[in-house]
Amino acid sequence: MIKIINSEEFSYFLRINRNEIIKIWMNKNEVQNVLHRHSLPVIEKNTHLFYEFCDCFISVIEWRATVSECQVKIEFLQLLNNYNITIADLFTLIIKLKNAIEQVIFENGNLSYALQSEIDSLTLRMANDLAANFETIISSNSNYKSENTNLLAEYKKAVDLSNIVSKTNPKGVITYVNDKFCEISGYTRDELIGKPHNIIRHPDMSREAFKDLWDTIKAKKSWNGVVTNMKKDGGQYIVDTTVIPILDVDGDIVEYIAVRHDITELEQTKQQLRNINKAMKNKVDELYSMTNTLEQKAYKDNLTGINNRENFEDIFSLEIANAKQNNITLSLIIFDVDNFKLVNDTFGHQAGDIILIDLVDLVSDNIKNGDIFARWGGEEFVILTPSTDLAGACNLAENLRKLVQLHSFSYVENQMTLSFGIAQLSSEDTKKTLFEKADGALYEAKKNGRNRVEVYTA
């Protein structure tokens, strides 16, 4: 996105798109009408003048040069004069060249309101300068026609042909509208003259927006902004609007002139893009959520939400490697629920699932941060405790054993109990041997009557 009008990116953009700009410019109906009406042989030996003039125009827009520094302008204007081009036709050529530039910028997604306003301002400045030069050239020509002497009249004609124009008195009552105003609003000239300008005010426009407009122009300053207006049939159209206060010799406001560009299609396109972006964002969010869900399913136990066996296996390998590399103690606790098959057989698997969920919540709340808790399978669970020796692991297991024995679980009247097996990592241990040691200790706990903690001893 172009951020400043004289940026290198903008300059490069205009230069590489020059041929496209020329093509669009020369194919515009209004330009073709001017050329054909005066039999101007553009496609022949004078083609280079139009390209050079386009380069001059682009340089002015880039702020690389002023129109007074444009060497080709006199030759270009002389060519136009040779074929009896009028000042109105000159304005048409300039305005359509501006439109071609804006079209190419817009089609590439870079036309902002600020940039369009800047181009409009520079175009007006260039048009006035060229008109003054052209008037001098015409004045020296014996075939000069008297109807072209009034530059302001010609400029007004050019503006009327390409813009939506209205005038109001200082109280906001409409005193003049051009044909384009009537065409876009759906009102006749008689229906508009003498009416307050809010006849076309759309309810979507806030009072604050119009207050800012009036505060600005009453302070004798020009105002520019985007306005949504309402047609006679209730439809809407959107215009980029500039309102200019006209002052008398004493500096008092005598009227306001408003010049507008219809940007309804542009705004609708932008709204469509916003809708597409919103829909795409929602889709991305949906895909992201689905991805997270799939990732969680990949490493979380579906019933309890803690680590599943596959994920624990991966973590187990990393923790053993880290403990050995950094000489950190590491203990493994394996426990299962005593006589859990009887619970399932008596109360059903749904009841068993509820009890397991309650058990996992109880254990999760009573292990320290950094401990890795996982469901190994069925009613069997593992806890990997980094930086914890056998004594610490025994204390943790004994605490959990007592908490579960004292806890009231749904469905079962008798106490639920756990059996624990514990082993500490030695320098010779692998993941397999450490697990076998803890699993062997668990077997001893069950063999010795359950509801107890057993430690592996070599």
Side-chain angles (χ1 to χ4, degrees), residues 397-409:
E398 185 62 27
N399 180 50
L400 293 176
R401 187 191 68 77
K402 291 177 180 178
L403 285 171
V404 170
Q405 187 175 8
L406 295 174
H407 186 75
S408 295
F409 290 91

Side-chain angles (χ1 to χ4, degrees), residues 118-163:
E118 190 67 25
I119 293 174
D120 286 346
S121 174
L122 292 170
T123 301
L124 179 60
R125 188 180 309 168
M126 187 173 193
N128 285 330
D129 186 281
L130 290 172
N133 282 271
F134 198 39
E135 189 176 32
T136 301
I137 293 173
I138 293 174
S139 297
S140 64
N141 191 301
S142 59
N143 294 325
Y144 174 65
K145 298 179 181 179
S146 59
E147 63 265 25
N148 294 325
T149 58
N150 191 335
L151 174 62
L152 292 178
E154 294 292 350
Y155 181 68
K156 174 183 174 299
K157 179 180 177 182
V159 171
D160 274 345
L161 287 172
S162 58
N163 298 281

Side-chain angles (χ1 to χ4, degrees), residues 239-253:
V239 285
D240 182 18
T241 304
T242 300
V243 184
I244 305 168
I246 305 301
L247 311 180
D248 60 18
V249 292
D250 297 320
D252 296 324
I253 298 173

Side-chain angles (χ1 to χ4, degrees), residues 187-230:
Y187 288 98
T188 66
R189 190 170 276 102
D190 290 340
E191 290 174 317
L192 292 167
I193 302 298
K195 300 295 193 304
H197 213 286
N198 62 15
I199 188 175
I200 57 169
R201 177 177 174 178
H202 197 280
D204 287 351
M205 290 297 295
S206 65
R207 291 181 178 274
E208 290 74 16
F210 284 105
K211 182 178 184 302
D212 174 62
L213 186 159
W214 277 103
D215 287 347
T216 302
I217 61 178
K218 284 182 178 179
K220 304 177 183 179
K221 299 177 182 178
S222 297
W223 181 89
N224 177 260
V226 176
V227 177
T228 301
N229 287 332
M230 185 165 64

Side-chain angles (χ1 to χ4, degrees), residues 270-284:
K270 289 170 66 176
Q271 184 58 52
Q272 289 173 358
L273 289 173
R274 284 193 288 267
N275 292 340
I276 291 171
N277 287 338
K278 183 177 180 180
M280 289 179 65
K281 181 181 182 302
N282 291 340
K283 196 64 179 176
V284 169

Side-chain angles (χ1 to χ4, degrees), residues 215-376:
D215 287 347
T216 302
I217 61 178
K218 284 182 178 179
K220 304 177 183 179
K221 299 177 182 178
S222 297
W223 181 89
N224 177 260
V226 176
V227 177
T228 301
N229 287 332
M230 185 165 64
K231 298 182 179 183
K232 182 179 178 180
D233 63 6
Q236 71 172 31
Y237 60 99
I238 305 170
V239 285
D240 182 18
T241 304
T242 300
V243 184
I244 305 168
I246 305 301
L247 311 180
D248 60 18
V249 292
D250 297 320
D252 296 324
I253 298 173
V254 293
E255 64 179 358
Y256 300 106
I257 295 179
V259 181
R260 305 167 183 82
H261 303 285
D262 181 14
I263 58 171
T264 306
E265 185 176 345
L266 172 63
E267 287 299 305
Q268 289 173 343
T269 301
K270 289 170 66 176
Q271 184 58 52
Q272 289 173 358
L273 289 173
R274 284 193 288 267
N275 292 340
I276 291 171
N277 287 338
K278 183 177 180 180
M280 289 179 65
K281 181 181 182 302
N282 291 340
K283 196 64 179 176
V284 169
D285 290 344
E286 181 182 338
L287 291 173
Y288 181 75
S289 176
M290 289 173 60
T291 301
N292 282 344
T293 301
L294 290 173
E295 286 179 350
Q296 287 188 3
K297 286 183 177 181
Y299 65 80
K300 295 294 183 184
D301 176 58
N302 288 336
L303 176 65
T304 62
I306 60 174
N307 295 292
N308 61 21
R309 179 169 177 167
E310 290 78 9
N311 191 46
F312 178 80
E313 292 265 20
D314 294 336
I315 298 173
F316 196 7
S317 298
L318 293 174
E319 289 295 335
I320 287 179
N322 181 61
K324 289 187 175 183
Q325 181 177 352
N326 297 289
N327 196 27
I328 299 171
T329 55
L330 178 69
S331 295
L332 175 65
I333 302 171
I334 305 177
F335 70 87
D336 73 0
V337 183
D338 295 329
N339 301 313
F340 191 71
K341 184 177 183 300
L342 182 61
V343 174
N344 281 333
D345 291 344
T346 304
F347 302 103
H349 287 279
Q350 185 175 2
D353 288 347
I354 293 173
I355 291 171
L356 288 180
I357 293 171
D358 194 8
L359 169 67
V360 165
D361 289 341
L362 181 62
V363 172
S364 297
D365 290 340
N366 288 279
I367 59 177
K368 68 179 186 294
N369 290 335
D371 288 347
I372 297 97
F373 184 26
R375 186 181 182 188
W376 189 254

